[in-house]
Amino acid sequence: MPVYEYHPDELAWSTVVRRATGLTLSEVEEQLRAAQDREDLARAAPQEPRKPSELDIASCQRLEWARTEHLMTQQRMAVYSPDEDRRVARREEQRAQRKAVEAAWSQQSDGGLPVEVRRHRIYRITARPTTAPAGEEALVRHIFAASTGAAVEHARAMFGRPGGICQDREYRIISVEQVLPEPGEFF
C-alpha cells in the first residue's frame, strides 16, 4: 500500500501558506474574498459525487485564507510569514507523523516490503458527451494522481466503467488541468 506525501486537504492548505508568504493584510483579505467567490461558484455548480471536489478544494482554501487573515489581524503582522505561524509547524509535524504511521502500517501489512511514498497532485478533468447537444454542460471531476497521464487514464476508466457514474454515455476528455498544488509550483 503506498503512502502519500500529501493528502488533498494538506495540498490545499500548503498551497495557501506558500501563496500567502510575504503578502500584506490587505492582500490576504483580497485573496480571502476571491476564495469566497470561488467557493460560492463551486457551491452553485453541479456537485461531484466523489472527493476531492471543486467545493472541497475551494472550502479548504477559503478556510485557510480566513485563518491567515485572522492570525495576521490578531498578531498585527505587517506581512505574513509562516515562521510566525505556529499552526504551520504543527501541521507539518502532524503530516510527518501521519506518513510515519501509514508507512509502518504499510510495511507491516505488506510483509516488510519497502514503502512507496507517492507525490500526487489534484487534476481537474473536464469531459463532454460525444453526442452532446450544443450548450450542454461539461462533466467535471477531480482526480488525485501522480501525473497528467495517470489522471487521464483514471478518468478514462471512470468514464467508461460499466456500472460507473458515467455509464449512460460516451465521454471525450476536453481538458486536464492541475489545480493543486498551483501549476508551476515546485512539488
Side-chain angles (χ1 to χ4, degrees):
M1 179 175 146
V3 173
Y4 296 101
E5 178 119 16
Y6 287 90
H7 283 178
D9 59 326
E10 294 168 338
L11 284 172
W13 62 254
S14 66
T15 296
V16 170
V17 167
R18 280 194 304 270
R19 288 182 59 205
T21 301
L23 296 183
T24 64
L25 180 58
S26 63
E27 291 170 324
V28 168
E29 289 170 342
E30 187 178 307
Q31 290 295 320
L32 175 57
R33 284 189 295 278
Q36 181 64 56
D37 291 344
R38 279 192 303 276
E39 185 179 22
D40 291 344
L41 286 172
R43 187 171 272 106
Q47 295 305 302
E48 299 172 55
R50 297 173 39 154
K51 290 191 174 191
S53 70
E54 187 76 34
L55 182 57
D56 296 323
I57 295 166
S59 295
C60 189
Q61 289 184 324
R62 182 198 49 83
L63 288 170
E64 188 60 25
W65 282 112
R67 189 197 68 76
T68 303
E69 185 262 345
H70 177 74
L71 175 75
M72 289 182 73
T73 302
Q74 187 179 39
Q75 292 188 2
R76 296 187 176 123
M77 290 180 172
V79 294
Y80 177 75
S81 171
D83 297 336
E84 296 179 39
D85 188 346
R86 289 179 294 186
R87 189 172 288 181
V88 170
R90 190 170 56 240
R91 282 180 174 166
E92 280 302 317
E93 189 176 299
Q94 289 169 343
R95 186 183 67 79
Q97 289 172 353
R98 173 195 55 80
K99 271 180 52 182
V101 167
E102 288 178 7
W105 183 84
S106 180
Q107 196 165 24
Q108 185 180 34
S109 66
D110 289 343
L113 294 175
V115 174
E116 178 186 356
V117 177
R118 293 186 179 173
R119 289 195 126 186
H120 275 37
R121 297 162 180 84
I122 298 176
Y123 295 91
R124 180 183 301 121
I125 309 288
T126 307
R128 191 171 302 285
T130 53
T131 58
E136 185 172 329
E137 278 194 38
L139 184 67
V140 176
R141 295 291 180 261
H142 288 78
I143 295 175
F144 189 50
S147 66
T148 304
V152 168
E153 288 307 311
H154 185 74
R156 282 189 181 135
M158 181 177 63
F159 292 141
R161 181 177 57 227
I165 57 174
C166 307
Q167 70 179 12
D168 59 334
R169 298 176 129 166
E170 187 176 320
Y171 285 86
R172 181 175 53 88
I173 296 173
I174 56 174
S175 72
V176 179
E177 176 188 6
Q178 180 184 329
V179 292
L180 284 177
E182 298 291 326
E185 285 186 351
F186 173 73
F187 178 67

